[in-house]
Amino acid sequence: MLHAGVDIGSKTVKLVVLDDDLTLLYESYERHLSNVRETLGYTLERALVHFPSEPMTVGVTGSAGMQLADLLDLPFTQEVVAARTAIERRIPQADVAIEIGGEDSKILFLTGGEELRMNSTCAGGTGGFIDTIAGMLDMNAEKLNVCAHGCRTVHAIASRCAVFAQMDVRPLLNEGVPKEDIAGSVFDAVAAQCIAGLACGRPIGGTVALLGGPLHFLSALRDRFKLRLGLDDEHLVVPPDGHLFVAEGAAFDAWDGEGMTLASLIERLDAAQWDQDATLERLDALFASEEEYDAFVQRHAALAAPRADLSSAEGRVFLGVDSGSEAIKYVLADEQGRVLRTYYERSAGSVVEAAQAMLVDLWKHLPLRHDGTPAVEVAHACVTGYGEELLKRAFALDSGEVETVAHVRAARELVPDADFILDIGGQDIKCVWLRDGAVDDIVLNEACSSGCGALLSGMAWSMNVRFDRFLDAAVRARRPVDLGTRCTVFMTSRVRHAQKEGAELGDIAAGLAYSVVRNAVYKVIRARDVASLGRRVVVQGGTFMNDAVLRAFENLYGAEVARPALAAHMGAYGAALIARDRAEEGARSGLLSRKKVERLESSKRTEICGRCGNACRLTITTFDDGDAVRTFTVGNRCERGLGEDAPDNGLPDLFAYRLKRLFAYRPLPSNEAPRGDMGLPRALGMYDLYPFWHTLFTRLGFRVVPSHLPDAALRGRALETIPSESLCYPAKLMHAHLVDLAERGVPAAFLPYVEAEKPGGRSCPVLAGYPFVLDANVDFVHERGMKLVMPRVKALLDGDGPAAGLASTLLEALEPLAPGLALAEVERAAREAARELGRFRLDVADAGRDALAYMAEHDVPGVVLAGRPYHVDPATNHAVPALLRSYGFAVLTEDALPSPNVETGSGGSRSRWEYPERILRAARFVAERDDLEFVMLYSFGCGLDAVTVDQARAVLKRRGRSLTALKIDEMVDLAATRIRVRSMVAAREDRLRKGGSR
């Protein structure tokens, strides 16, 4: 008897046939492109050639296999059980198995207590994640793998979500980082996500097996796992049939079942009713009739920019370039703002090459007089979009502008009465509210691009359907499927389900159009109802050139909206109008000539910047046009990395001051510390209370040893101890700080559980309770013999002194390390510690008053950069303070502001949450001043931060002000942040012009 196993996963169909001796006789591994039924059919037909009449048992498994098993009356095995069975038969020596599939990843701990860890809510770090990023680079996964072997520099890329990772990848591409480095960084991100997100604190040791299609076919991915886990070849198992293990497990589990031939199985498949028990809801058709669609097309075609014929143009012309997330565009306009020529091409991850082709097209089409001289002259060239800085340096464009401003400029030109602009691009969403023609508020998507065009193009690609056919089918669909508003990668599961229920291509495409606009409105804009967006809505961006998306938005909005015929070129059109505004009389653009563009060559190198302790990894691109050589550097967090020694602008930076003042304390010499060393991890709450604890332990005769964050903070021991993928990054860093102390041999570490700073208050649950998480998960610390001192402090302070009961709580925790310690001694130390904490806070407040006085004296604006105390840590703020100062702002912390006399009024009632209340108090202060802007840093996965952002936004909005919220964690690239900051600057300038005051 033969034995077959069928594994229908999220991306592939696998079939294996084994004999009684466990020999693998036949194997098939096919991508099903979301068409499971057809792929399974031809997989069985091909196998039938080899086994025309042999009976075999058949087992089914996989995330998409359960329905098949029911339809065909076959035994089904849950995929984890199937994998476990195959491991027992094939590689019994394995202690841990890591298996990556299309939409899921798993870690099976097989010794020391069997346990399964599997991804749940996000498909980051899976095969689907890799496919999405590969498609963005215009590659398949195999080519990405080859590319990754040339990686020299690993850049930080978030792997929590495929589309969020694109927000990290896109700036790297547009700044000239080699694709080899990006490919290697993507695989490194997958390994980090899998280890940190799934191990969840349990060490991965012993013999480790790597299974599943991605780990079987992608050697560079295996290399990253080896590096991240510190494995040698002796402790690594990569079975030659590892990509088929789950299918083999299904065969093993059905080993004693009833035999059948493949021919009879194919007959069952052909007769199955796949649409039985359909569950997905259907939506209204986008258009009721062809006549309605024709009227829709004519209505939107009427909103067109004025045009003129380029071949007959003369005089000055103005070039606008938009280097967007997926495509590069230009618009050439004349003195009257008329469009002379447009251009649109996908950049396919090669921004410089795409720009070269674009500019050659421009020069090729510029008209000549009869004597061969140019009939027009480019007077000014302006660029916008993610590739702005790179293209300015590469091709000598004259100026740049933040894309929000360019889009608003174009919309105002064509729809002067617009009060809301919604721009949906390939990977970003820009929402701009206008009041009396001025920018009133700006919102950009922060972490997810599931409401963007990438969702549609990625889905068409995954279904192997040409994009134009995909869109054409959507507008003519009769019964669109309600696919919800989930993450792009997980949306494929809904699509597969819809196909099983008989949904046609158009029904799926139209359902996705609805999903895009619902994501944009309810997840990005977070509108309670669509009518609140505005009375005159302008939509633009390449995604809105899709009639299905536009109609879905109109249906959701309940009224007609304005889509300019130039919707896909609005950024470039706005840039062209800005170029016209900026061009001086008689000026000529410095744009490279056609000859120089064609011969432009570029080369890249990487190096570590040694000008400060950050040790930034720099990518330096050199451009040579034959006459001049220019360089462009990315990866730097400050101007020093650019080789620029320009003097500091002298603007106050309270982040730098607070950090220096916070850790300015000197520990006792070893010979003057009778009670030995005590480690203080410089993370989380220590960024507020370090003066207290350092003073207390110094007064008690301990030598305080602060932790240091190593260069590769979240690798190896620290990475595998993180218990949850959804933890905020500052909490994850706590693991690295504690491991650092243990590796340096510090005998004890102090990890207080501070419930509240003062009676009646509340501290962040993660911040307060994290000592217990570390105690339970960082086994390495216990192996090194480090003692964790974890007193539970109900309140730290009461008024200006220590809270009642604090000293006795500390005494109880410290007695095992300090025999003979007396309560009176602890009380004295606590009183001195409270006084020192008070001095620290007074010093910060004094620095704040000095900063405000400096602003008034020198007539400069300031930004209150609010957040948690740990955002002072350079590892968490990613040089945002320096970025703000580079735009001419003094930077203040929220605790440096004068304390208001009234806690309520314009800001509402006082919150019991201590740190959020500091942020809200700062927002109330800023709302009353025209010389201050409010920017807030907050973390992914923090519900308390999310609520605080909404509350701070409401406080500011009541005074006609806006909030710039920057969601940051592992992200280190400042490109997206720079867009938000520049948008804030533009909105501020508009507001001040309108109000006439500073």
Side-chain angles (χ1 to χ4, degrees):
M1 180 83 73
L2 299 182
H3 309 277
V6 180
D7 175 13
I8 305 179
S10 57
K11 296 286 184 182
T12 55
V13 172
K14 282 85 71 178
L15 171 67
V16 297
V17 179
L18 309 168
D19 64 14
D20 286 330
D21 296 324
L22 309 187
T23 303
L24 181 62
L25 302 177
Y26 180 83
E27 66 178 79
S28 175
Y29 185 102
E30 292 288 339
R31 286 180 176 264
H32 55 60
L33 301 174
S34 296
N35 196 335
V36 174
R37 183 175 184 174
E38 182 179 318
T39 305
L40 178 60
Y42 73 70
T43 295
L44 295 176
E45 292 282 359
R46 289 191 308 178
L48 182 64
V49 175
H50 300 276
F51 308 101
S53 59
E54 292 87 338
M56 58 185 70
T57 61
V58 181
V60 179
T61 186
S63 58
M66 183 176 292
Q67 184 187 20
L68 172 75
D70 289 340
L71 289 171
L72 303 185
D73 193 25
L74 296 172
F76 176 80
T77 303
Q78 204 280 335
E79 58 194 282
V80 176
V81 176
R84 182 69 181 89
T85 303
I87 293 168
E88 287 178 344
R89 298 285 187 98
R90 297 296 201 192
I91 46 172
Q93 74 273 25
D95 297 299
V96 181
I98 298 174
E99 198 246 349
I100 295 181
E103 287 180 9
D104 52 42
S105 52
K106 315 175 193 68
I107 297 182
L108 287 81
F109 294 95
L110 305 169
T111 58
E114 289 196 12
E115 189 177 1
L116 165 70
R117 303 286 176 85
M118 184 173 178
N119 65 323
S120 54
T121 60
C122 180
T126 65
F129 173 92
I130 294 170
D131 282 345
T132 300
I133 303 299
M136 175 186 179
L137 299 176
D138 207 31
M139 302 178 181
N140 57 25
E142 290 73 21
K143 188 173 180 181
L144 189 75
N145 179 62
V146 173
C147 202
H149 282 293
C151 175
R152 293 187 175 183
T153 303
V154 173
H155 298 266
I157 293 175
S159 58
R160 71 176 79 240
C161 168
V163 249
F164 174 47
Q166 292 176 345
M167 295 179 67
D168 286 349
V169 172
R170 181 60 57 191
L172 297 177
L173 282 172
N174 287 330
E175 291 171 349
V177 172
K179 285 187 178 181
E180 291 80 4
D181 288 353
I182 294 175
S185 301
V186 168
F187 287 140
D188 186 72
V190 171
Q193 172 74 9
C194 189
I195 296 167
L198 301 184
C200 295
R202 181 165 177 174
I204 299 173
T207 300
V208 179
L210 301 182
L211 308 174
L215 283 168
H216 173 80
F217 292 108
L218 306 176
S219 54
L221 180 60
R222 296 196 299 270
D223 291 344
R224 288 295 159 185
F225 271 90
K226 288 177 63 177
L227 181 64
R228 282 276 184 172
L229 292 171
L231 294 173
D232 54 29
D233 291 337
E234 182 181 350
H235 293 88
L236 183 69
V237 178
V238 184
D241 53 348
H243 58 309
L244 304 169
F245 257 42
V246 177
E248 291 182 16
F252 293 141
D253 284 335
W255 203 262
D256 298 322
E258 179 183 348
M260 69 182 71
T261 64
L262 287 178
S264 64
L265 182 58
I266 292 171
E267 289 178 2
R268 290 192 195 185
L269 181 67
D270 291 339
Q273 298 295 317
W274 286 63
D275 59 348
Q276 66 184 24
D277 301 322
T279 59
L280 289 176
E281 295 183 7
R282 298 299 180 116
L283 303 169
D284 293 336
L286 294 172
F287 298 97
S289 65
E290 282 291 328
E291 292 74 19
E292 187 177 65
Y293 178 47
D294 291 341
F296 165 89
V297 171
Q298 291 175 14
R299 169 164 55 88
H300 285 289
L303 183 56
R307 286 184 175 268
D309 183 15
L310 176 58
S311 63
S312 59
E314 292 187 359
R316 301 202 309 167
V317 294
F318 310 92
L319 178 66
V321 175
D322 181 6
S323 179
S325 58
E326 292 209 326
I328 192 164
K329 292 87 74 176
Y330 79 64
V331 167
L332 191 68
D334 64 11
E335 294 271 15
Q336 290 75 45
R338 296 176 300 182
V339 176
L340 300 173
R341 181 170 175 79
T342 62
Y343 178 94
Y344 185 106
E345 286 292 337
R346 285 194 71 237
S347 51
S350 302
V351 180
V352 174
E353 291 82 353
Q356 278 183 290
M358 175 194 70
L359 291 175
V360 168
D361 176 90
L362 169 71
W363 289 119
K364 183 170 63 177
H365 286 90
L366 292 184
L368 301 175
R369 296 188 179 93
H370 295 297
D371 61 0
T373 60
V376 298
E377 182 175 80
V378 180
H380 194 96
C382 178
V383 58
T384 190
Y386 284 103
E388 174 192 335
E389 293 299 328
L390 175 66
L391 298 190
K392 278 172 59 181
R393 193 65 61 95
F395 300 102
L397 283 87
D398 303 296
S399 67
E401 185 55 82
V402 63
E403 52 199 90
T404 47
V405 172
H407 283 279
V408 169
R409 179 70 179 85
R412 282 174 175 166
E413 185 79 7
L414 299 180
V415 188
D417 61 339
D419 57 4
F420 178 75
I421 301 168
L422 175 60
D423 182 280
I424 301 182
Q427 312 216 337
D428 52 26
I429 299 175
K430 294 174 278 291
C431 314
V432 184
W433 284 264
L434 303 174
R435 184 188 300 173
D436 299 329
V439 175
D440 186 49
D441 196 8
I442 295 175
V443 172
L444 296 91
N445 60 320
E446 296 165 331
C448 182
S449 299
S450 57
C452 298
L455 171 64
L456 295 172
S457 58
M459 199 61 63
W461 179 83
S462 71
M463 296 174 68
N464 200 29
V465 178
R466 267 180 38 192
F467 195 43
D468 56 348
R469 178 170 171 255
F470 191 73
L471 302 182
D472 185 64
V475 298
R476 290 173 171 79
R478 296 294 90 202
R479 301 178 63 224
V481 182
D482 187 352
L483 297 171
T485 56
R486 301 190 72 195
C487 148
T488 298
V489 178
F490 273 131
M491 192 73 79
T492 57
S493 298
R494 302 278 287 182
V495 169
R496 274 199 317 277
H497 189 62
Q499 287 179 315
K500 292 174 190 175
E501 294 188 355
E504 297 180 356
L505 175 65
D507 298 331
I508 293 171
L512 288 168
Y514 275 113
S515 294
V516 164
V517 297
R518 285 154 68 186
N519 268 319
V521 171
Y522 297 123
K523 288 189 174 181
V524 176
I525 306 173
R526 291 189 289 182
R528 288 184 174 85
D529 59 89
V530 188
S532 65
L533 300 181
R535 297 183 305 277
R536 181 63 162 151
V537 174
V538 176
V539 297
Q540 54 194 47
T543 301
F544 273 119
M545 288 305 292
N546 174 350
D547 286 342
V549 173
L550 176 59
R551 183 61 171 186
F553 182 78
E554 286 192 334
N555 289 349
L556 188 67
Y557 182 59
E560 296 178 356
V561 301
R563 179 191 68 181
L566 273 175
H569 294 82
M570 290 293 273
Y573 183 48
L577 296 173
I578 291 169
R580 185 188 64 174
D581 298 339
R582 291 176 177 172
E584 298 179 1
E585 191 65 35
R588 182 176 182 176
S589 174
L591 180 68
L592 295 186
S593 65
R594 177 175 179 176
K595 184 177 180 181
K596 290 183 178 181
V597 168
E598 289 177 333
R599 71 187 183 197
L600 183 73
E601 294 183 353
S602 64
S603 60
K604 299 181 180 70
R605 71 179 192 276
T606 59
E607 63 181 48
I608 302 297
C609 176
R611 292 180 171 87
C612 73
N614 278 332
C616 297
R617 290 190 295 266
L618 308 179
T619 298
I620 302 169
T621 305
T622 300
F623 299 104
D624 186 348
D625 60 27
D627 292 335
V629 176
R630 297 173 297 281
T631 60
F632 180 68
T633 302
V634 294
N636 53 296
R637 298 191 187 187
C638 68
E639 289 76 11
R640 296 182 193 176
L642 305 177
E644 298 173 2
D645 298 319
D648 188 278
N649 60 18
L651 294 174
D653 181 355
L654 270 294
F655 267 65
Y657 170 80
R658 193 179 188 280
L659 182 67
K660 183 177 180 180
R661 174 65 179 83
L662 186 68
F663 298 118
Y665 300 91
R666 292 185 178 182
L668 292 172
S670 297
N671 59 359
E672 297 178 17
R675 291 192 166 112
D677 292 350
M678 177 64 72
L680 294 186
R682 297 199 296 182
L684 294 179
M686 282 296 171
Y687 275 90
D688 197 31
L689 302 178
Y690 187 85
F692 184 97
W693 297 121
H694 188 284
T695 302
L696 179 115
F697 284 109
T698 299
R699 295 296 180 268
L700 293 178
F702 287 91
R703 175 177 172 265
V704 173
V705 181
S707 63
H708 301 290
L709 193 64
D711 290 337
L714 293 181
R715 293 182 183 270
R717 295 188 181 97
L719 179 65
E720 65 187 26
T721 63
I722 296 171
S724 171
E725 62 182 309
S726 60
L727 276 173
C728 64
Y729 185 56
K732 292 178 182 178
L733 287 176
M734 188 66 155
H735 293 253
H737 283 279
L738 190 60
V739 167
D740 169 67
L741 291 173
E743 288 182 334
R744 289 160 58 195
V746 180
F750 185 67
L751 303 171
Y753 174 15
V754 181
E755 295 184 19
E757 182 179 311
K758 294 185 178 180
R762 291 180 182 174
S763 184
C764 164
V766 172
L767 186 149
Y770 215 72
F772 300 106
V773 176
L774 295 168
D775 185 34
N777 290 281
V778 190
D779 294 337
F780 171 73
V781 167
H782 302 299
E783 293 168 3
R784 286 294 184 101
M786 175 186 277
K787 304 295 183 184
L788 300 183
V789 182
M790 302 189 302
R792 183 164 185 163
V793 177
K794 292 188 176 297
L796 186 71
L797 303 173
D798 191 354
D800 295 330
L806 174 65
S808 57
T809 299
L810 295 176
L811 176 63
E812 182 181 355
L814 291 171
E815 272 185 323
L817 296 176
L821 184 63
L823 179 62
E825 189 178 359
V826 179
E827 288 175 338
R828 285 194 301 272
R831 286 194 295 271
E832 180 56 36
R835 284 194 291 270
E836 181 53 40
L837 181 61
R839 282 192 286 269
F840 164 74
R841 290 179 171 173
L842 284 174
D843 288 348
V844 172
D846 287 344
R849 280 191 289 271
D850 291 344
L852 292 170
Y854 179 96
M855 289 165 49
E857 180 182 352
H858 295 85
D859 193 29
V860 297
V863 164
V864 174
L865 184 56
R868 301 300 187 92
Y870 50 64
H871 283 126
V872 171
D873 181 2
T876 60
N877 67 47
H878 302 310
V880 171
L883 177 66
L884 290 167
R885 289 178 78 235
S886 73
Y887 284 101
F889 291 98
V891 179
L892 293 84
T893 55
E894 82 284 341
D895 60 341
L897 303 177
S899 298
N901 296 323
V902 181
E903 294 288 351
T904 59
S906 64
S909 60
R910 179 183 172 87
S911 169
R912 291 182 64 193
W913 295 102
E914 291 168 338
Y915 293 126
E917 173 53 29
R918 279 170 36 169
I919 293 171
L920 297 178
R921 190 165 59 234
R924 290 191 282 268
F925 182 85
V926 170
E928 303 297 330
R929 297 181 61 124
D930 282 329
D931 60 344
L932 286 174
E933 298 297 322
F934 195 82
V935 178
M936 182 175 168
L937 302 176
Y938 69 116
S939 297
F940 290 92
C942 180
L944 193 55
D945 274 1
V947 171
T948 306
V949 166
D950 288 340
Q951 291 176 325
R953 182 176 283 114
V955 167
L956 292 159
K957 193 170 185 178
R958 278 193 286 269
R959 300 292 297 173
R961 305 293 297 280
S962 60
L963 166 70
T964 299
L966 304 178
K967 186 179 282 191
I968 59 172
D969 267 350
E970 288 93 337
M971 286 182 66
V972 295
D973 191 280
L974 293 180
T977 301
R978 190 174 288 112
I979 291 174
R980 285 167 168 77
V981 170
R982 292 175 66 187
S983 299
M984 177 195 74
V985 173
R988 170 183 172 79
E989 291 173 350
D990 264 1
R991 188 184 77 242
L992 294 180
R993 276 196 299 269
K994 175 185 169 186
S997 60
R998 183 156 197 78

